[in-house]
Amino acid sequence: MSYTALAVAGVGVAILVDLAVLRTRLLTRASFWTAYAIIVFFQLLSNGWLTGREIVRYDADTILGDADPQFLGDGRIVYAPVEDLLFGFALVLWTLGVWTWLGTRLDERQARRART
């Protein structure tokens, strides 16, 4: 399976978990998108630095676009393949979703204990 297919699948699973499994619905909240904008800015900085200096290299057959990190054409954003943004999005959504879900469950337990 290619890096592109895995990245798209990762985003799909993260969205499914957010909306249907955990039901945190982070994707519907402005606070999530604000936090994500901050995160993606630093992700682009770090990805650009690592890929632009060829510390991280990608197999051209598994990503979109050109394999040359100096080429900033199709499928690359700040030297890194667009798939990195997809994986980053899935990771952030999954992590914040689980964190929110666990926090809600903890709050519910504490409220039950306070009532008894």
Side-chain angles (χ1 to χ4, degrees):
M1 185 175 266
S2 72
Y3 191 57
T4 304
L6 287 170
V8 170
V11 169
V13 169
I15 290 171
L16 180 68
V17 167
D18 176 55
L19 298 176
V21 178
L22 299 178
R23 297 182 184 169
T24 53
R25 300 183 51 80
L26 292 177
L27 291 173
T28 64
R29 301 180 192 187
S31 59
F32 169 79
W33 292 105
T34 301
Y36 183 68
I38 295 166
I39 291 166
V40 79
F41 171 76
F42 287 102
Q43 180 185 359
L44 288 171
L45 283 178
S46 60
N47 278 2
W49 189 80
L50 291 169
T51 310
R53 287 172 170 60
E54 296 188 25
I55 296 168
V56 175
R57 288 180 265 157
Y58 298 89
D59 181 357
D61 295 332
T62 61
I63 64 168
L64 295 173
D66 195 299
D68 181 5
Q70 301 306 315
F71 177 74
L72 300 178
D74 295 335
R76 290 207 175 242
I77 299 172
V78 192
Y79 297 104
V82 68
E83 291 90 341
D84 278 1
L85 288 177
L86 295 175
F87 268 124
F89 177 80
L91 177 64
V92 168
L93 180 57
W94 184 273
T95 302
L96 292 179
V98 170
W99 185 13
T100 301
W101 182 78
L102 288 173
T104 302
R105 289 182 50 96
L106 181 61
D107 289 346
E108 290 170 358
R109 284 184 185 169
Q110 289 174 343
R112 273 184 282 191
R113 287 182 188 154
R115 287 182 286 216
T116 59

